[in-house]
Amino acid sequence: VLLLFECSARNIHTHTSLSNPPQLTSVYLVDSHYCSDTPKFLSALLVCLSTMLFLETPHVNVLSKIDLVESQGRLAFGLEFYTEPHDLSYLLDTIAADTSGGTRFKQLNDAIRQLVEDFELVAFHTLDVSDKQSMHTLLQEIDRSNGYVFRVFQGLGNNILQMASTDTPIDETLRIQEKYMNVDPASSEEEMNNNDSE
């Protein structure tokens, strides 16, 4: 059974007196076209991080409407760069090229980047509601995040780990990238290597 609650974080109340408490997972949806606008993407990362820290529940961040990922412009890097944002310094170079916001704007974005990188908590899964495999993969990830997959398959012994790790997020990201983007993964790696050498 999947229950969806849409409410502000201030209205969430928890009760720990239940004998079998519900297994809740916070799912935060971010429009995928934010990836093409660096300041918006950095702000989405910050909102995801603050939500994760505030709610203190199992959490899954999702790049939704992935079929529209390049509707607002081509991405500077491959999709994996945005779903696993570990080294965001590359994005600051795209801000300098795209905007004339000045040094204070770049300093603000650099501070947000450093904060998100220091926590190393934010990662995204992709979602295309018209693709059954994408929906199934996301539901599996939600079940993994709150431990439901382990409760369902209790008593199966070693098969529990096999059930918990059927698909990897990277495989799904590459599949979605091939389906919806005009990016060659090798070219995005080459671009990052060129930025390193400068």
Side-chain angles (χ1 to χ4, degrees), residues 3-175:
L3 298 175
L4 298 176
F5 299 98
E6 183 179 350
C7 57
S8 69
R10 298 185 196 284
N11 295 332
I12 294 177
H13 302 283
T14 58
H15 301 283
T16 56
S17 62
L18 298 172
S19 61
N20 191 9
Q23 294 174 304
L24 298 177
T25 297
S26 301
V27 180
Y28 193 84
L29 302 175
V30 174
D31 286 351
S32 63
H33 66 80
Y34 286 161
C35 295
S36 61
D37 187 348
T38 300
K40 286 182 182 177
F41 182 67
L42 287 173
S43 66
L45 289 171
L46 184 61
V47 171
C48 289
L49 177 64
S50 64
T51 304
M52 292 171 77
L53 296 175
F54 179 75
L55 292 180
E56 297 180 356
T57 60
H59 195 94
V60 176
N61 295 309
V62 179
L63 286 175
S64 65
K65 302 177 189 171
I66 201 68
D67 53 324
L68 304 175
V69 68
E70 291 189 321
S71 65
Q72 302 291 321
R74 192 172 171 145
L75 300 186
F77 304 103
L79 190 58
E80 185 180 347
F81 179 84
Y82 298 95
T83 57
E84 299 289 333
H86 297 300
D87 189 3
L88 297 169
S89 60
Y90 297 112
L91 287 177
L92 295 181
D93 297 332
T94 63
I95 292 176
D98 291 345
T99 64
S100 59
T103 57
R104 293 186 72 187
F105 184 68
K106 189 168 181 177
Q107 288 173 346
L108 172 66
N109 283 289
D110 188 40
I112 293 171
R113 174 198 64 83
Q114 288 176 346
L115 180 66
V116 171
E117 284 182 353
D118 286 347
F119 277 93
E120 289 189 19
L121 290 176
V122 182
F124 290 98
H125 298 276
T126 57
L127 175 63
D128 174 15
V129 295
S130 63
D131 183 351
K132 285 185 179 182
Q133 185 176 350
S134 177
M135 292 286 289
H136 179 71
T137 303
L138 182 60
L139 286 174
Q140 280 183 323
E141 187 57 38
I142 293 168
D143 286 345
R144 274 188 220 123
S145 71
N146 65 19
Y148 179 75
V149 70
F150 298 112
R151 192 176 89 188
V152 169
F153 297 106
Q154 217 168 19
L156 294 180
N158 294 334
N159 292 336
I160 292 175
L161 294 178
Q162 292 172 350
M163 294 293 185
S165 60
T166 52
D167 291 330
T168 64
I170 293 174
D171 294 338
E172 178 66 9
T173 301
L174 291 175
R175 186 183 73 78

